[in-house]
Amino acid sequence: TLLLASRQDKGTKHASDEVINASSSSTSQSRSAIQQPNNDTIQQEQKQQQLSIQQQQSQNQQQHLPPEIRSEMLSRNSLYFSSTNGGMERITNSSVLVVGLGGVGSHTAHMLARAGVRYLRLVDFDQVTLSSLNRHAVAALEDVGLPKATVLCNYLRRICPDETKLELDPVVKMYTGDPQKDGTMFDPPMVDGKQHRQWDMVIDAIDDVPTKANLIAHCAKRNIRVISCMGAGGKADPTRVHVSDLRSASRDPLATSVRQKLRLLGKREAKEAGVKITNGSGVANGGWLSCIDDDSKLAVVFSSEKVVAKLADITDEQREEGLHNFGAMDNMRVRVLPVLGTMPAIMGQTLAALALCELGNKPFSPVAAERVGRNVRHKLYQHLKSREKKLENKLKPKLKDGSENVTEDGIYIGPVQIDPDDVEYLMAEL
């Protein structure tokens, strides 16, 4: 700044001398003609100098972050993990793969970078949209249309410009579970010229059932620690967020679908291998499907709140133009999912907290979500179905004209309108 001010003073003085030494017969217009080119030159030089200084500062920052600065940046986390044996050092040497960078994954990756994780590979095929600005951790209006992975990396680089302290590896690609299509996406990273033996942690923030199940199965087969987020849409209560194994995740449609998909994958592989499934919980001889019940292999973050906002209806425009024209990718959800922006952020931060405490060798023990036993739940559900059937047989002669399930007194006598999860909800709440 001082250099620029000095140069400007010299330029102004030089221009003034030329005006003073000009012929007295010159008009004010000629003076302006003499002075103006010098001002333009000064402005151009100033811009060039500013640009040069900015570029130099940017290069210096990218090349090196003083140790005392980095130490102070991480000082509060270091204090938290000071009681562990090398906890903070484990975090600053760790490598984490985050798949899915939307409302949940962007908050997780953001906090992992701030906490000092050394290497982050950030995977997402999608772009920032206007509707995603209500929940994304760092995206702004100017980022709409850009890849989520790129936007997130650009922001995180501003937090830690030193690539030797934070390595960012954006992958603008969709994870499919097909090794040929995924390529080197899951390959362990190269850090300081050395390849890591394996990922320290994989964060699953995918909202598509098949790819989510494929990712979990891939990690379970290779004994890679994975933390997965279940459904955040249509919910709002932060007091209902829990951490557990996948089987214990209740009142969560996404968790139910993922469990079913994993069982199908396990049964198919067991059939091909000629082995049996043990009591529906895993492949015989301790196969990978046991991750459903083992939170040391697969921990999930879920909300036990019952969904209070359902998918938006398909519009006439979507029907006319064809539903296949509206999905982000083939075979992915078309209907819009209502999302209160706070819930993905809370669940993403929960993923980050769980990951950091495990990486830092200071894990916490989550409070298990209260749950009605499966046998009790099933018994109550069957009791309700039997009761409704008896009521239907008794009141069927009194059906209202033109109605198949409402009597003249307005009593509904059709099929039971709840499921076993609803029974659990009624037991817990009422």
Side-chain angles (χ1 to χ4, degrees):
T1 304
L2 290 173
L3 251 167
L4 292 174
S6 174
R7 181 67 185 89
Q8 187 174 11
D9 289 343
K10 290 179 180 178
T12 304
K13 183 177 184 301
H14 180 65
S16 300
D17 290 344
E18 287 187 353
V19 172
I20 293 172
N21 294 332
S23 172
S24 58
S25 61
S26 298
T27 63
S28 60
Q29 184 176 0
S30 65
R31 292 193 185 98
S32 299
I34 295 172
Q35 188 174 5
Q36 188 62 40
N38 290 296
N39 286 336
D40 289 342
T41 302
I42 292 170
Q43 291 177 358
Q44 290 177 0
E45 289 181 358
Q46 288 176 353
K47 289 180 180 179
Q48 290 176 354
Q49 289 174 346
Q50 287 175 337
L51 181 60
S52 177
I53 291 172
Q54 290 173 355
Q55 290 175 343
Q56 186 63 45
Q57 289 176 341
S58 177
Q59 291 175 0
N60 290 339
Q61 288 175 341
Q62 289 178 0
Q63 292 173 0
H64 177 68
L65 190 65
E68 61 272 17
I69 298 296
R70 185 59 173 167
S71 177
E72 183 62 23
M73 290 170 65
L74 302 177
S75 60
R76 302 306 173 90
N77 278 26
S78 296
L79 284 172
Y80 181 81
F81 291 105
S82 60
S83 60
T84 63
N85 185 17
M88 196 62 210
E89 184 179 355
R90 282 167 52 89
I91 292 175
T92 55
N93 287 319
S94 64
S95 58
V96 179
L97 171 64
V98 183
V99 186
L101 305 174
V104 174
S106 61
H107 283 274
T108 304
H110 179 205
M111 195 50 59
L112 292 178
R114 286 190 180 277
V117 169
R118 172 64 185 279
Y119 187 103
L120 284 172
R121 182 172 295 167
L122 306 174
V123 180
D124 200 308
F125 72 94
D126 207 1
Q127 299 173 336
V128 175
T129 62
L130 286 170
S131 62
S132 64
L133 296 182
N134 82 314
R135 57 193 182 278
H136 198 276
V138 303
L141 187 60
E142 62 187 10
D143 299 317
V144 171
L146 299 176
K148 292 178 179 178
T150 304
V151 170
L152 186 56
C153 283
N154 289 342
Y155 186 91
L156 299 182
R157 182 54 67 205
R158 293 167 54 195
I159 296 174
C160 180
D162 192 335
E163 294 183 0
T164 65
K165 302 295 190 297
L166 172 63
E167 291 191 53
L168 298 170
D169 183 8
V171 179
V172 186
K173 193 174 183 179
M174 181 178 182
Y175 173 76
T176 65
D178 185 338
Q180 293 184 343
K181 294 181 180 179
D182 296 334
T184 60
M185 185 185 298
F186 247 93
D187 289 357
M190 296 287 292
V191 179
D192 294 335
K194 300 178 182 178
Q195 187 168 27
H196 272 211
R197 182 180 61 84
Q198 192 53 274
W199 291 100
D200 294 302
M201 187 85 64
V202 171
I203 305 294
D204 161 38
I206 302 172
D207 60 2
D208 176 62
V209 174
T211 50
K212 195 177 193 72
N214 287 337
L215 175 68
I216 293 173
H218 178 96
C219 294
K221 293 172 186 176
R222 292 160 179 80
N223 293 319
I224 303 173
R225 175 59 164 156
V226 58
I227 301 176
S228 179
C229 184
M230 296 296 114
K235 301 185 177 188
D237 188 351
T239 66
R240 302 300 183 103
V241 175
H242 309 279
V243 178
S244 73
D245 59 79
L246 181 57
R247 189 180 297 281
S248 299
S250 62
R251 304 168 205 153
D252 190 307
L254 180 57
T256 301
S257 298
V258 171
R259 282 195 299 266
Q260 293 173 349
K261 183 65 175 178
L262 287 173
R263 290 193 190 100
L264 289 175
L265 290 174
K267 289 179 179 179
R268 185 180 66 189
E269 292 183 8
K271 185 177 181 180
E272 293 174 353
V275 296
K276 294 181 179 180
I277 300 292
T278 58
N279 61 37
S281 64
V283 179
N285 302 320
W288 65 265
L289 196 55
S290 60
C291 69
I292 291 178
D293 300 282
D294 190 348
D295 61 0
S296 68
K297 297 179 180 179
L298 167 65
V300 302
V301 175
F302 74 98
S303 168
S304 62
E305 180 186 10
K306 199 168 179 62
V307 174
V308 296
K310 298 181 179 180
L311 291 171
D313 294 332
I314 295 173
T315 64
D316 293 337
E317 179 188 2
Q318 289 175 323
R319 290 192 179 92
E320 291 176 3
E321 296 189 21
L323 297 181
H324 62 280
N325 293 319
F326 288 87
M329 295 286 287
D330 292 340
N331 302 319
M332 293 194 72
R333 187 184 68 242
V334 174
R335 296 171 65 187
V336 177
L337 183 66
V339 181
L340 182 66
T342 53
M343 185 55 72
I346 292 169
M347 298 182 82
Q349 295 286 352
T350 305
L351 287 173
L354 186 59
L356 288 170
C357 288
E358 286 192 15
L359 291 172
N361 203 26
K362 194 174 182 178
F364 54 82
S365 300
V367 176
E370 294 183 7
R371 182 147 200 212
V372 178
R374 181 189 299 179
N375 292 336
V376 174
R377 188 168 72 249
H378 178 73
K379 185 177 180 180
L380 288 172
Y381 181 59
Q382 294 302 323
H383 172 74
L384 289 174
K385 287 179 66 176
S386 175
R387 178 183 179 279
E388 290 300 308
K389 187 63 179 178
K390 290 179 181 178
L391 188 63
E392 180 180 356
N393 294 335
K394 179 181 178 181
L395 299 179
K396 204 164 188 179
K398 299 181 181 181
L399 281 175
K400 187 177 180 180
D401 291 340
S403 175
E404 297 181 355
N405 50 31
V406 178
T407 68
E408 295 174 348
D409 297 328
I411 300 175
Y412 173 81
I413 59 172
V416 176
Q417 297 295 298
I418 61 175
D419 58 25
D421 278 342
D422 291 318
V423 172
E424 180 180 359
Y425 180 79
L426 291 171
M427 288 289 293
E429 298 298 321
L430 304 179

